[in-house]
Amino acid sequence: MVQTENTKEKIAAIWNKRPMVIAGPCSAETEEQVIATALELQKLNRIDVMRAGIWKPRTKPGNFEGIGVKGLPWMVKARDLTGIPIAVEVATAKHVEDALSFGVDILWIGARTTVNPFSVQEVADALRGVDVPVFIKNPINPDVELWIGAIERIANAGIKQIGLIHRGFSSAAIKDLRNAPMWHIPIEMKTKFPTMPLLCDPSHICGRREPLLEIAQRGINLDFDGLIIESHINPDAAWSDAKQQLTPQDLGTLLNKIVWRQEAIQQEDALKSLSPLREEINHLDDEIINILVARMNVAEKIGMVKKNANATILQPGRWTEILKRLIAKGTKAGLSQEFVEKLLESIHIESIQRQNKVLEK
Ligand code: PEP
Ligand code: MN
């Protein structure tokens, strides 16, 4: 059965629902697995969309590459039985065509596709003139422009409902998670595209079950609009991503543990105590700017002295000394070393630029 007007209306409501929760197996494997998972997810009564990978882009050949088109009728059957709309990943024009011919309600573009402008353009061209919501996962590497480029390509094809999925970034530095969250990147995207739903995909960030709750909660705390999370009727036997999937029942437990926060603060007493605190923050922020301005003015004076003495701007010994002193002071007072280092680094860059100007005058 293809999508009806009725489901279109349902999708429109889901698009504005907060939190939006998409769940389902990494991959559709068998009809029994898809249907059994769907029926259990339905029992949770809080799953808005069911996901499953039909075509799996694998880093290496030989891993399960997806069941292909024959899995689509299983998804349709799952929707018919549960009333829950369905979503699949698309990476080529043919995937789009097949998914649409089965009336799949929502499409998503995977991380390995977002990295490739040729592939994204191919998907965009196949979507021209079609009215279907599309989620775009972040590219594997932490490149905001690549993510934005994919959004532009899909938007230029005329797609109106575009959503974003944060699934973390490949990073050699990360050990206990599969992909580094680099939260500042989705936050930047949320600021740039405030009307697009932004979902957190804790499954692909974590790569294992244990940290799922913490990462999901972090996303919700950061004002994400919902979650996309992998759930399988028998996770340990899953044909892909076995370690990170949850049974529908465990997913229910996780969803119950999450403290669902909202951007708009409705509780009156919370609002009352917030307002003086916000005033205090505004005041402190003003002070920070005033102090930075004063610091830069002193840096200029130092530049003048260096100019007259024919000295170099960069005096590495002095800078190391400043860093050491302030990192010790900052960390002792509870600031993280990373924060103090980053802050001082940007102050130093600005300072050098100001001194440079003096020297060039
Ligand atoms: C997936 O959602 O199963 C998937 C392949 O994810 P990603 O594109 O984020 O790796
Ligand atoms: Mn997966």
Side-chain angles (χ1 to χ4, degrees), residues 45 129 133 184 329:
N45 223 355
H184 62 283
K329 187 180 165 112

Side-chain angles (χ1 to χ4, degrees), residues 106 185 233 296:
I106 294 179
I185 296 182
I233 194 72
M296 293 308 154

Side-chain angles (χ1 to χ4, degrees), residues 25-27 51-53 55-58 89 108-113 137-138 140 165 167-168 178-179 201 204 228 230 240-241 244:
C26 178
S27 303
R51 63 152 282 156
W55 303 279
K56 301 302 296 179
R58 305 317 301 256
E89 172 177 351
W108 87 82
I109 295 176
R112 288 165 196 75
T113 305
K137 284 197 168 195
N138 66 259
I140 294 201
I165 296 172
R167 49 79 76 200
R178 178 171 167 189
N179 288 293
D201 175 346
H204 292 90
I228 175 166
E230 287 184 343
S240 60
D241 289 350
Q244 69 196 29

Side-chain angles (χ1 to χ4, degrees), residues 11-21 46-48 197 225-226:
I11 298 296
I14 288 170
W15 205 250
N16 295 314
K17 182 172 170 278
R18 299 295 178 266
M20 189 196 305
V21 180
R46 60 194 303 173
I47 304 304
D48 302 302
D225 299 298

